[in-house]
Amino acid sequence: MTKQTATQAATRRGNGRQAHYADRVLGGLRLIAVHEVGAIQAHVAAVGERVRVAHRARGVGELLRNQFDLLPESRNRWRRDQLVRRELWRGFVRDLKTRA
């Protein structure tokens, strides 16, 4: 094998490795983006529910009580989203650290 042929072969291997890592990066970021879009959609739906509940309230006391009753659900949704987000980022970093 000539020096030029060996260099070309090494370049092809390097390009294949770069493409593999680029696929990993894009795949991981895609998963994170899909989760974030879903989380935002869930939060928007929750805000819509709060507005509907507020609209049905007959007075300030009922409005406050109803909104207060929705707090645990909101807190749990935020926690779940944060746990999923953390695991997605950990998996993303772990995938990038492993060799192909």
Side-chain angles (χ1 to χ4, degrees):
M1 193 186 291
T2 66
K3 184 177 180 180
Q4 184 179 10
T5 311
T7 304
Q8 289 172 344
T11 302
R12 281 194 297 274
R13 280 193 305 273
N15 288 342
R17 196 173 309 127
Q18 289 171 353
H20 177 73
Y21 283 118
D23 287 343
R24 279 187 181 186
V25 168
L26 292 176
L29 291 177
R30 183 183 60 77
L31 282 175
I32 292 167
V34 166
H35 171 262
E36 293 302 322
V37 168
I40 290 169
Q41 288 173 340
H43 293 307
V44 169
V47 167
E49 177 64 22
R50 283 185 176 273
V51 169
R52 283 189 294 279
V53 167
H55 185 67
R56 288 190 301 244
R58 288 176 263 190
V60 175
E62 185 178 356
L63 170 71
L64 292 174
R65 188 172 42 256
N66 290 343
Q67 295 300 317
F68 185 76
D69 289 344
L70 292 173
L71 285 176
E73 181 183 328
S74 296
R75 183 180 59 240
N76 290 336
R77 184 179 55 258
W78 282 95
R79 270 193 199 140
R80 282 190 309 269
D81 288 341
Q82 185 60 29
L83 288 173
V84 171
R85 186 177 294 116
R86 187 178 304 134
E87 287 304 313
L88 285 172
W89 279 105
R90 282 181 182 161
F92 178 64
V93 170
R94 189 173 40 247
D95 284 348
L96 292 180
K97 286 182 178 180
T98 58
R99 288 202 157 237

